[in-house]
């Protein structure tokens, strides 16, 4: 990797030196022209393969089922599932990958960013954090988007369903007995 970076740096230096020898109108034309470098050994995205999942499904909506909030189109697998389990909020993004793979499921909202470490079981990415983690505000403070390896970017509308779920999942402090 270090050798490639050196070759790229050398190529950029040669291009800059070539431009310094220009003068007049030719100099302006050369400065505006794109510089093309051949980067050998780089991987290109496979052509003809569509990005998995739908981005911004028009029929998508949030649904609450007990301690779970689901987002997706009716009759289709959920694009995102948020569930409360024993004071932990779990996020599940239904995107297949290599079994045992690890990644970050990133949520970016108006009021924050949450980078959730996730594992893939071959069919979905899943990870959890305590419900009282302040970074859940990325999902509960308005619209947000989520992105994970191989899953593209999905934009989710704001919903009080998520805020209610996360808030209700936080551990409750024991109440002091009221003196009579």
């Amino acid at each position: 990797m270090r050798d490639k970076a050196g070759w790229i740096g050398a190529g950029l230096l040669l291009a800059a030196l070539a431009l310094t020898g220009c003068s007049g109108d030719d100099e302006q034309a050369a400065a505006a022209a794109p510089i093309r470098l051949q980067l050998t050994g780089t991987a290109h995205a496979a052509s003809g393969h569509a990005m998995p999942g739908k981005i911004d499904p028009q029929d998508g909506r949030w649904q609450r089922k007990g301690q779970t909030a689901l987002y997706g189109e009716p009759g289709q697998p959920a694009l995102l599932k948020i569930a409360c389990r024993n004071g932990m909020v779990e996020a599940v993004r239904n995107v297949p990958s290599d079994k045992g793979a690890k990644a970050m499921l990133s949520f970016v909202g108006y009021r924050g960013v949450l980078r959730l470490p996730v594992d893939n079981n071959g069919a979905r990415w899943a990870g959890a954090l305590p419900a009282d983690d302040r970074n859940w505000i990325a999902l509960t403070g308005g619209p947000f988007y989520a992105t994970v390896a191989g899953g593209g970017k999905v934009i989710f509308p704001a919903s009080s369903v998520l805020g209610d779920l996360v808030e209700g999942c936080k551990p409750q402090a024991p109440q002091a007995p009221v003196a009579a």
Side-chain angles (χ1 to χ4, degrees):
M1 188 70 172
R2 186 176 211 146
D3 290 357
K4 286 182 185 178
W7 283 108
I8 292 171
L12 291 174
L13 180 61
L14 287 174
L17 288 173
L19 288 175
T20 60
C22 298
S23 63
D25 291 336
D26 291 338
E27 182 178 358
Q28 289 176 345
I35 298 172
R36 292 183 173 83
L37 300 172
Q38 178 62 35
L39 302 176
T40 58
T42 58
H44 296 282
S47 59
H49 294 294
M51 184 175 287
K54 280 185 143 181
I55 305 294
D56 306 324
Q58 292 191 4
D59 305 9
R61 62 177 172 237
W62 286 104
Q63 286 185 320
R64 176 92 184 250
K65 293 184 177 181
Q67 293 293 335
T68 302
L70 302 164
Y71 182 82
E73 294 177 290
Q76 299 294 319
L79 293 174
L80 183 65
K81 178 174 104 174
I82 306 292
C84 172
R85 300 196 196 311
N86 301 320
M88 299 288 285
V89 175
E90 177 186 47
V92 175
R93 178 79 171 90
N94 291 311
V95 177
S97 189
D98 296 333
K99 188 174 185 177
K102 297 184 180 310
M104 288 291 192
L105 174 54
S106 296
F107 297 100
V108 179
Y110 287 119
R111 296 175 53 197
V113 175
L114 170 63
R115 290 179 185 91
L116 180 66
V118 291
D119 297 321
N120 199 294
N121 68 359
R124 63 186 180 85
W125 293 103
L129 283 175
D132 56 3
D133 188 299
R134 63 183 178 86
N135 293 309
W136 284 115
I137 197 164
L139 285 72
T140 62
F144 64 94
Y145 72 82
T147 183
V148 70
K153 178 171 111 176
V154 180
I155 299 173
F156 298 92
S159 174
S160 61
V161 168
L162 290 175
D164 292 346
L165 185 125
V166 171
E167 193 60 36
C169 193
K170 292 179 181 177
Q172 302 300 317
Q175 298 287 333
V178 178

